Amino acid sequence: MIHLPNLITDLALILGAAAVTTLIFKKLKQPLVLGYLIAGILVGPYFDLFPTVQEKDNIQIWSEIGVIFLLFSLGLEFSFKKLMKVGGSASITALVEVVVMLAFGYATGKLLGWNTMDSIFLGGVLSISSTTIIIRAFEELGVKGQKFAGLVFGILVVEDLIAIVLLVLLSTLAVSQQFAGTEMLISVVKLVFFLILWFIGGIFFIPTFLKKTKKLMSEETLLVTSIALCLLMVVLATQVGFSAALGAFIMGSILAETTQAEKIEHLVKSVKDLFGAIFFVSVGMLIDPEMLQRYLGPVILITVITLVGKTLSTTLGAVLSGQPLKSSVQAGMSLAQIGEFSFIIATLGLTLKVTSDFLYPIAVAVSAVTTFTTPYMIKVAEPFYGWLDKRLPEKWKTSLARYSSGAQTISQASDWQVLLKGYLTNTVVCSVILIAIGLLSSIYILPKANELVGVRSGKIVTAVVTFLAMVPFLWALAVRQVQGKAFSNLRSQNKYKGPLVLLRIARITLSVFLIGFMLGRFFSFGIAFTVTLLIVAVLIIFSRRIQVFYDRLEARFFSNFNAREAAAEAQKKKEPVLAPWDAHLASFNVHADWEGVGRTLEELGLREKYGVNIALIERGERLIPIPPKSERLYPGDRLQVIGTDEQITAFRSYIDYHVPALKHARSEVELRRYDVQSGSQVFGKTIRQSGIRELAHSMVVGIERGEERILNPVSDMMLEEGDVVWVVGNPRRTAALFRTKGEAPRNAARTPE
């Protein structure tokens, strides 16, 4: 008999249970995460009705892989530019909300008689909202386009970053088992150092690597390469003392700045979904129903604190950041839940064995309840604001409105602010790179050099190599002119010459210190001091050449950093690729549960969103060729849609129900080209005046005029002799309009299939 490893049996059990429960939850229109949790309970050790997973340790490893891919995918959606664009409102709101909920969680834990670590981790669990649940709820309720939704998305971006920092801080706290201020500060400085270093190095090298190998990258190769980069960063992060989740998040954020980001995100999605399902099922396996019953009171209390506390703290933070009261209330009630990051934080406490067994199932139970309440909280946010607005005193409302408008006033930064910000950024970045080069050379290069050429020669060789690597960044730190315009404006004023000189001296002093720090690891103080003076002289003498080299490095970095936006901008400037002569007809069925049912074509805006045109609607025995924009769509309608392959694919993903082509629609509607001649009925008329729509029940979708190609021309465009007009509609009626007087009827040219 063939022996089947328990791991395969367990995976079959987990995925089978997940498939069944998620199908049920999909039918009930509930979040799939809850289905995974219930699947975990069913196959877990606390439920005997179904077979139980045998090797939980192996499944735990798979679930850790699931966390890695969840964070990697989150990083791909994150992008550091997105954080920069979030603005102060979202950042202030997120910080206020996290700090308040950390305090609420800690106080609640102490109120319940829990120990210090349980209370701290409870605060961490309650502080982060669920990105997945909110995005899904916004899509289902159709509020993604509203003003408050933009604020919510910004808050979620900042919260995700804070969650990564929380994981690091909680790990440090769990190991030290005390509030050691120095250790916490060192951990934060270490985190900032490595974040800057990894981001700069990643942006400099990885986009260039992907660009150089683009022709060799099939989808399979790109997927393997992306996962390899993710896991390499995971290994690197764990080697320096951080969590695997942080490494995955950082690599995702780096790849998010490349031109391949969307493609990587698409390729990784299936892998993330698979391992993510295993992770959430493993979360459910740890839930003990008896423990939940025993701690039902704390579950109810913590759920209420989550709903009320997150609503109040987010609303308060948004108001303080200058947002109107309505948007603040809507944002607060939207964020009143906990989700996937809460599971990860709770898992961290369990893995490090610093939290009690009851905290984990309580966190999962609170998450499940608040997941159910989220859509209802979003729905009642606006009515609640209306109720609140009627009861607030007029003085309060006037003060809030004045504060909101004042806080959102754009103020221009002074030259000093611009200069100091530039100096600070330049100093931090260059210092991080210089320290990293020094540490890398002394820890890795020096031992190898000593083995190869001896201790004395090894030191000299390593020092020379290290110095050459540091030169451009030493020049940028000590000599480079930062924010030249602001500097010139300040230097022209006598009262600022002294402070500017002090800034220059401070930069040079820091450079000398870093040079001495590096050389001190190889030579005695006297030799290090002498060589430092020589290096400073080299920086001054060869300043121009070093500047040219540094400018190349900087240009490469910003080219990679802005490559994604540059590619998108270049695509916008290109002539439309989706030309009418590449188009074809495809048929779709209007399904009863499609969101477009009952809406007019004008409301749907299919032409504007997807570039497609509705050429024919078949409604029972009735045919509606070239339907007007006021025509509504109903269940059972069959649509004949014209567009290119890309447009049709995009529209198919929207309507999500493709059906075979109509048997008799070809004879009624076709895409054909017609030449405008001087004697035809359409010559010298606008598209609107030509009668193509009214008389021929057809639609002009493109015009070729010499070398120019015009897609979806406006109705006021004049038809000139020699124009090639692409028309979709009834070919017999349309051809009659384009015939000259006395010309015998003939078939127009069909578009090639």
Side-chain angles (χ1 to χ4, degrees), residues 346-365:
T347 304
L348 176 67
L350 209 60
T351 304
L352 296 175
K353 302 186 186 304
V354 294
T355 57
S356 304
D357 293 338
F358 58 77
L359 179 61
Y360 191 90
I362 286 176
V364 175

Side-chain angles (χ1 to χ4, degrees), residues 198 228-238 246-248 250-251 254:
W198 288 335
L229 290 171
C230 170
L231 296 180
L232 285 173
M233 183 59 83
V234 165
V235 172
L236 184 59
T238 52
L246 175 64
I250 292 298
M251 182 50 67
I254 292 171

Side-chain angles (χ1 to χ4, degrees), residues 122-325:
L122 177 61
V125 165
L126 299 186
S127 61
I128 308 299
S129 301
S130 172
T131 303
T132 306
I133 301 303
I134 290 174
I135 290 176
R136 182 179 178 85
F138 277 10
E139 288 175 348
E140 291 175 350
L141 297 174
V143 297
K144 288 181 72 174
Q146 295 188 21
K147 181 181 178 181
F148 79 95
L151 174 64
V152 170
F153 290 139
I155 295 170
L156 289 172
V157 169
V158 180
E159 276 193 357
D160 290 341
L161 188 60
I162 292 174
I164 294 295
V165 178
L166 269 179
L167 287 175
V168 176
L169 295 181
L170 289 173
S171 299
T172 305
L173 187 61
V175 172
S176 63
Q177 289 287 313
Q178 58 182 343
F179 286 102
T182 305
E183 291 184 12
M184 297 287 281
L185 181 61
I186 292 173
S187 296
V188 172
V189 172
K190 183 180 175 184
L191 174 64
V192 172
F193 175 83
F194 280 105
L195 281 177
I196 295 173
L197 182 63
W198 288 335
F199 178 69
I200 293 172
I203 292 297
F204 189 83
F205 292 107
I206 291 176
T208 302
F209 167 72
L210 292 177
K211 195 183 301 179
K212 297 289 186 184
T213 59
K214 187 174 182 180
K215 292 182 179 178
L216 304 174
M217 286 282 188
S218 62
E219 288 192 349
E220 178 183 357
T221 311
L222 183 59
L223 174 63
V224 171
T225 303
S226 303
I227 293 177
L229 290 171
C230 170
L231 296 180
L232 285 173
M233 183 59 83
V234 165
V235 172
L236 184 59
T238 52
Q239 288 291 321
V240 296
F242 296 124
S243 66
L246 175 64
F249 181 82
I250 292 298
M251 182 50 67
S253 300
I254 292 171
L255 291 175
E257 306 297 346
T258 68
T259 55
Q260 301 278 62
E262 289 86 356
K263 192 170 184 180
I264 294 172
E265 189 176 351
H266 171 72
L267 293 173
V268 172
K269 186 178 185 302
S270 298
V271 182
K272 184 256 300 186
D273 289 342
L274 173 63
F275 287 103
I278 296 173
F279 166 69
F280 287 117
V281 171
S282 68
V283 168
M285 288 167 56
L286 296 173
I287 298 174
D288 184 354
E290 290 185 5
M291 189 171 291
L292 281 181
Q293 186 177 0
R294 191 187 317 162
Y295 290 93
L296 182 61
V299 168
I300 295 173
L301 175 62
I302 294 170
T303 300
V304 173
I305 288 174
T306 301
L307 294 173
V308 177
K310 291 181 83 70
T311 298
L312 291 177
S313 60
T314 305
T315 302
L316 175 63
V319 169
L320 290 175
S321 70
Q323 290 295 315
L325 182 60

